[in-house]
């Protein structure tokens, strides 16, 4: 921390040509065109990988790679060398830009690739160094050196068609193996405008990079911030201290990330606390932390926005403001994921979102009860999964992207997410939302985290099984949880038959890996609490 | 004034389907589909005219007509019956919606049409009445009655292709006969977003309708305001008093119009003056009034934006803030029309604007001197002129729309307009900008208005001839004007050889009709001031 990169601020002038012109990038763009990689076909589109934290170089590459006519693949830096090798092979990446922090992993992946019997050449490796901290390994190019050898009169390579791919973003893999969602120039362009509308961002914002640029191209914020002539505050590592310092030093106006960012902010130590000059917008997407955390973050001076979306629709697609002090109608329990769809002006660039019966494709009635699948349609949806026609065909139907999320439509037109299709439980023929069970259990003062999955049952098909993490020194019995659910008037089929206490397995975005819990649930014996359960 | 319509406020909820859904409009849309007009082919696109001031009905029709799959033609209400008849015939309009104020003109136009030997049926006339002020003439339908007969379950007719026409907007005709610029759904959609970006408009604006909706579809503000969930304050007539009252009553945030709106605001009588609660953005496009007027408007509490554009590019395309108290660099003389192109974030949705040699299509150097033609390219340009392939082909070259305006590119990248191509003078083989001569003469304290045109000259080809209107009781001789130009160091070939004092002929937007002055200049004898001129 505190290094040159961590606090470097890039100020981006913008103008109106395809996506955003960024003079500095021309150099990279030029170079990408001129380089002679073995197997590189300059006439056709090729893919270029990046493997870096949120540094200025990573930001620059969000522009430089597409402007060179190539497809940008910013990869999750938590990939291990074998997975990285497989991914690079699938992508047929011609180049990989690597931050010095990850050069070891990438070198190992390249070694694996070179041992494989493949017709494809390994990608060229370009090291993004920091104050010459790392010695440039042999066969590796240096980023800054390449930049300085660029020509300034390079003409940007525009896509032949606005529907041509601009990038590939891998899903977080909460339901299995990550899939590469392919974005078009058109969708990226429109979503960049969309985030500006959605969060009502004025010109010249100051954006703190707490959301990974390798997730949905940083929710399209690299392009949105440039379009508004804003300032980017790049961060190599995200901690509460760094967030508060950045806000005070750079007058940050916006930051984004998974809801774990709220936990981080709330975890600020008393001696690190600094007074925030003006309120800061923090935008999160995913399951929310506790009311206590939200309230704490709010009191620190943050306005919290909560979105619903996924990699396939370029990140969060909806926005609702959260406030604990003055809850909005229907937001009494702010942990329900409601998609404000008809109200407000959040989605003017999304063509359509609906809840439909996935078989008949008929919309569910707006009764707040009938469960269907949430679906998106329009410009801001991926083109499909990279090299995976089978899975692509599975998730698209009649132009609609089927999210795999179950939901209802409320009488006011709002859409409310109930559960992941894969996670929901069918007990005695009825669909039960695990999210609703979790919501009740989470209100127990001793409970820190909870995840509910289905456990196979000979008589009922499945029954709810809860995995619970308790706070600090707290202790609780399984039967106490079950009793709590009964007291909270959960319907009989929603009350867990089993409760396990343990730390929940999560992926890098903090999403609980329910498929692991489902496997575990199969092995758990039944309990008896003496109250009929 | 003060009527029901004048102050009716429409609050528009918005959502994200094609353009903007407006439930109220569904009724109109439905009706447009169901009506059986003689000759109407519901299977193909047809055009629908409106002839109304800025009333709520006119606003509603900006949505209803396109949503019914028809092409919207909002016509200039100053058209006389014979011109209106010709226009309706050209458009093959199936329906014309007429405000009660103009029912007489339209009835006359229809009479003319019915006397002509044409295979086409006259359009159906729909009267937009006001408190039953006018008796509905025979063969005329009533707007409100039609609305109430609509069905609410009408499905919007989306265009087959986003490049299909949404509207036809006639040019103001400052250079001759008005031409119908055809806009596509795509260009209207993107320009609606563009105006929001250009003027950095936040959600829920309050828009005062001082720009005619029959000009470039009100610069696309009907759709932009709806997209932001804003409030529309409709006005039947625009006066200083009404503007100030509306601002105080409705908390207006934005208004637009030709620069004559600034004259109107400045003309406010002392006893009508009201304190404006917060600053109001006023957006004007065209030749600016005097510094004195601008300064006065500014002091009243308005922030002035000045744009450059034309009907063919859907209205103003650029934005610069004007301020007399703290002029920006290069804005020392704020009457120069400079297009900020590289700077700021004004044009992120315009693909490109350039100054080129119209023969070779090579860009002029950024030297501030080399004159070329200003050209636009990209989404926010008309499809072409309605039923006029010849004129369309004349103004498009290699995908560029050639504005007919001469300009230079300054070293900072800004584009500066010098003159209309048709208006510029070629004297002794050199191009002279009449705008620059006018700018100097306008600084004379006695001068209210000025227009310079070329007068044929046997020796030099053309020489500058100035037409001047003096303020109030002021008197001045031709020679005094010429001497003033010499004192201001105008180059010899830019100093007028003739000066006439008279009221300038203007069109309805306040643009001086120079073609009339050119005709007049031919008849004027030369003057001798005894100083070599």
């Amino acid at each position: 921390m505190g290094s040159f990169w961590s606090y470097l601020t890039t100020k981006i002038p913008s103008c109106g040509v395809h996506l955003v012109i960024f003079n500095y990038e021309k150099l990279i763009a030029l170079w990408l065109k001129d380089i002679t990689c073995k197997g590189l076909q300059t006439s056709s589109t090729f893919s270029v990988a990046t493997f870096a934290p949120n540094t200025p170089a990573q930001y620059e590459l969000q522009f430089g790679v597409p402007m060179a006519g190539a497809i940008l693949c910013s990869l999750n830096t938590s990939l291990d060398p074998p997975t990285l090798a497989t991914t690079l092979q699938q992508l047929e990446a011609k180049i990989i830009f690597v931050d010095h922090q990850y050069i070891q992993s990438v070198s190992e992946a390249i070694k694996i690739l070179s041992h494989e019997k493949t017709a494809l050449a390994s990608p060229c490796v370009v090291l993004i160094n920091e104050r010459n901290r790392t010695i440039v390994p042999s066969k590796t190019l240096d980023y800054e050196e390449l930049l300085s050898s660029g020509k300034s009169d390079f003409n940007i390579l525009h896509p032949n068609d606005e529907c041509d791919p601009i990038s590939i973003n891998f899903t977080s893999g909460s339901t299995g193996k990550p899939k590469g969602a392919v974005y078009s120039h058109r969708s990226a362009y429109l979503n960049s405008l969309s985030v500006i509308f959605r969060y009502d961002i004025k010109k010249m914002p100051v954006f703190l990079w707490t959301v990974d640029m390798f997730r949905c191209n940083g929710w399209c914020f690299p392009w949105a911030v440039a379009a508004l002539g804003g300032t980017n505050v790049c961060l190599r590592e995200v901690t509460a201290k760094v967030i508060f310092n950045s806000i005070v030093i750079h007058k940050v106006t916006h930051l984004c990330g998974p809801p774990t960012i709220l936990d981080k902010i709330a975890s600020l130590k008393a001696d690190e606390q600094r007074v925030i000059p003006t309120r800061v917008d923090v935008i999160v997407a995913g399951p929310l932390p506790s009311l206590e955390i939200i309230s704490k973050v709010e009191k620190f001076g943050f306005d919290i926005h909560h979105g619903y979306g996924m990699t396939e629709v370029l990140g969060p697609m909806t926005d609702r403001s959260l406030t604990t002090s003055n809850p909005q109608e229907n937001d009494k329990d702010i942990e329900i994921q409601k998609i404000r769809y008809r109200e407000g002006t959040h989605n003017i660039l999304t063509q359509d979102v609906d809840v439909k019966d996935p078989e008949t494709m008929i919309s569910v009635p707006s009764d707040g009860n009938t469960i269907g699948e949430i679906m998106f349609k329009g410009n801001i949806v991926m083109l499909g999964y990279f090299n995976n026609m089978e899975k692509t065909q599975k998730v698209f139907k009649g132009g609609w992207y089927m999210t795999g999320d179950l939901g209802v439509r409320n009488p006011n037109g709002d859409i409310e997410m109930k559960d992941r299709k894969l996670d929901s439980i069918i007990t005695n023929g009825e669909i039960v939302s695990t999210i609703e069970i979790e919501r009740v259990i989470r209100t127990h003062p001793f409970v820190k985290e909870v995840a509910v999955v289905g456990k196979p049952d000979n008589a009922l098909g499945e029954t709810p099984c809860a995995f619970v993490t308790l706070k600090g020194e707290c202790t609780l019995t399984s039967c106490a949880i079950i009793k709590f659910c009964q007291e909270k008037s959960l319907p009989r089929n929603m009350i867990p038959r089993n409760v396990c206490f343990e730390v929940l397995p999560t992926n890098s975005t903090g999403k609980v890996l329910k498929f692991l819990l489902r496997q575990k649930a199969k092995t758990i014996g039944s309990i008896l609490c003496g109250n009929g359960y």
Side-chain angles (χ1 to χ4, degrees), chain A:
Chain A
M1 291 319 313
S3 73
F4 174 67
W5 290 117
S6 301
Y7 282 106
L8 194 137
T9 306
T10 41
K11 193 118 190 179
I12 317 298
S14 74
C15 72
V17 189
H18 200 93
L19 277 175
V20 182
I21 293 182
F22 185 6
N23 274 324
Y24 192 46
E25 304 323 321
K26 282 201 177 182
L27 305 175
I28 312 172
L30 169 70
W31 170 75
L32 280 177
K33 173 124 192 298
D34 282 354
I35 197 168
T36 316
C37 275
K38 204 176 158 192
L40 175 74
Q41 296 170 312
T42 45
S43 61
S44 73
T45 302
F46 54 98
S47 70
V48 171
T50 71
F51 205 73
N54 284 344
T55 60
Q58 172 76 295
Y59 183 84
E60 289 161 8
L61 289 161
Q62 304 295 313
F63 295 82
V65 174
M67 286 163 72
I71 302 172
L72 173 70
C73 313
S74 296
L75 300 175
N76 191 326
T77 51
S78 69
L79 293 182
D80 57 28
T83 315
L84 177 57
T86 317
T87 307
L88 289 172
Q89 202 170 17
Q90 278 177 356
L91 290 171
E92 299 184 20
K94 301 292 175 199
I95 309 164
I96 180 166
F97 288 86
V98 191
D99 183 81
H100 67 90
Q101 203 179 327
Y102 299 103
I103 189 69
Q104 201 57 41
S105 299
V106 171
S107 298
E108 278 175 47
I110 299 289
K111 208 176 281 167
I112 296 168
L113 274 180
S114 63
H115 287 167
E116 300 224 345
K117 280 179 191 166
T118 165
L120 299 167
S122 291
C124 298
V125 179
V126 182
L127 175 71
I128 306 163
N129 218 335
E130 187 182 299
R131 294 174 171 175
N132 298 321
R133 193 174 280 210
T134 306
I135 295 158
V136 182
S138 68
K139 288 188 190 168
T140 298
L141 301 161
D142 182 72
Y143 182 69
E144 294 295 334
E145 258 175 44
L146 284 166
L147 282 192
S148 60
S149 71
K151 294 168 207 158
S152 62
D153 61 350
F154 174 73
N155 284 322
I156 299 148
L157 289 176
H158 294 278
N160 290 321
D161 186 289
E162 62 193 45
C163 290
D164 283 351
I166 187 172
S167 63
I168 299 172
N169 284 273
F170 283 87
T171 57
S172 63
S174 56
T175 54
K177 215 177 135 190
K179 298 176 287 289
V182 183
Y183 296 176
S184 68
H185 278 262
R186 182 181 165 107
S187 66
Y189 175 89
L190 289 172
N191 197 44
S192 301
L193 300 181
S194 186
V195 298
I196 297 172
F197 279 100
R198 204 179 301 138
Y199 308 114
D200 217 7
I201 308 175
K202 295 280 278 183
K203 282 177 187 167
M204 313 285 179
V206 180
F207 191 79
L208 182 66
W209 275 100
T210 51
V211 64
D212 294 315
M213 288 190 220
F214 58 69
R215 290 193 204 287
C216 315
N217 294 112
W219 301 2
C220 293
F221 269 97
W223 304 312
V225 174
L228 290 169
T231 300
N232 293 282
V233 182
C234 292
L235 289 182
R236 189 173 276 277
E237 201 191 323
V238 178
T239 64
K241 192 181 166 183
V242 166
I243 290 173
F244 279 82
N245 282 348
S246 301
I247 290 170
V248 172
I249 296 168
H250 299 291
K251 299 186 175 57
V252 167
T253 58
H254 294 81
L255 61 125
C256 303
T260 50
I261 196 97
L262 301 178
D263 297 291
K264 273 191 186 160
I265 293 171
S267 74
L268 186 78
K269 289 174 198 150
D271 62 337
E272 292 171 347
Q273 206 165 329
R274 302 186 64 169
V275 177
I276 293 182
T278 49
R279 292 194 78 78
V280 174
D281 285 298
V282 54
I283 304 153
V284 299
L288 288 171
S290 67
L291 254 172
E292 189 190 330
I293 298 270
I294 290 172
S295 167
K296 203 169 171 185
V297 172
E298 211 183 356
K299 279 186 195 128
F300 275 143
F302 294 83
D303 288 330
I304 308 171
H305 299 260
H306 182 230
Y308 165 80
M310 58 271 312
T311 308
E312 289 84 346
V313 296
L314 287 76
M317 255 304 166
T318 62
D319 174 46
R320 60 176 182 138
S321 297
L322 292 186
T323 165
T324 53
S325 53
N326 184 20
Q328 292 179 23
E329 198 194 347
N330 297 320
D331 275 350
K332 278 160 217 156
D333 184 337
I334 61 165
E335 290 181 49
I336 300 174
Q337 290 209 15
K338 267 196 196 122
I339 309 164
R340 289 194 184 279
Y341 156 59
R342 287 276 173 211
E343 291 177 35
T345 60
H346 302 161
N347 298 301
I348 59 165
L349 283 120
T350 313
Q351 192 187 321
D352 217 349
V353 55
D354 200 5
V355 183
K356 288 173 178 289
D357 180 314
E359 296 306 320
T360 64
M361 295 303 274
I362 294 169
S363 302
V364 300
S366 299
D367 59 9
N369 277 317
T370 315
I371 283 180
E373 187 166 346
I374 301 174
M375 302 187 187
F376 286 97
K377 192 177 191 174
N379 291 308
I380 309 178
V381 174
M382 66 166 182
L383 293 170
Y385 294 120
F386 179 70
N387 262 356
N388 200 333
M389 192 47 84
E390 196 197 325
K391 284 219 165 112
T392 302
Q393 283 173 343
K394 232 175 170 175
V395 295
F396 279 102
K397 194 167 177 179
W400 289 89
Y401 164 66
M402 305 196 286
T403 61
D405 286 342
L406 299 178
V408 296
R409 186 185 284 285
N410 287 325
N412 67 356
D414 272 7
I415 285 170
E416 190 176 326
M417 188 210 173
K418 288 292 185 184
D419 209 346
R420 291 283 306 160
K421 208 171 174 179
L422 280 172
D423 294 340
S424 65
I425 300 169
I426 301 179
T427 184
N428 213 2
E430 261 185 71
I431 298 174
V432 162
S433 160
T434 60
I435 289 176
E436 297 205 355
I437 306 171
E438 290 161 7
R439 193 156 48 82
V440 168
I441 298 176
R442 205 177 282 120
T443 59
H444 191 291
F446 290 6
V447 170
K448 190 182 167 199
E449 285 176 317
V450 58
V452 174
V453 298
K455 177 178 159 62
D457 184 279
N458 288 336
L460 299 168
E462 279 179 310
T463 57
C465 173
F467 290 83
V468 175
T469 315
L470 296 175
K471 287 180 189 166
E473 308 289 287
C474 301
T475 55
L476 212 58
T477 64
S478 300
C479 294
I481 294 280
I482 289 168
K483 192 156 173 270
F484 182 78
C485 291
Q486 290 171 317
E487 284 167 6
K488 292 284 174 181
S489 306
L490 259 190
R492 192 181 164 87
N493 62 358
M494 291 178 84
I495 293 172
R497 299 297 170 103
N498 297 83
V499 180
C500 297
F501 296 96
E502 60 176 80
V503 175
L504 305 180
T506 58
N507 73 1
S508 55
T509 58
K511 277 187 200 163
V512 176
L513 299 168
K514 286 202 171 179
F515 67 96
L516 292 179
L517 296 178
R518 267 191 292 274
Q519 285 167 16
K520 200 159 203 171
K522 287 179 191 164
T523 65
I524 293 166
S526 53
I527 53 167
L528 199 65
C529 298
N531 51 6
Y533 287 91

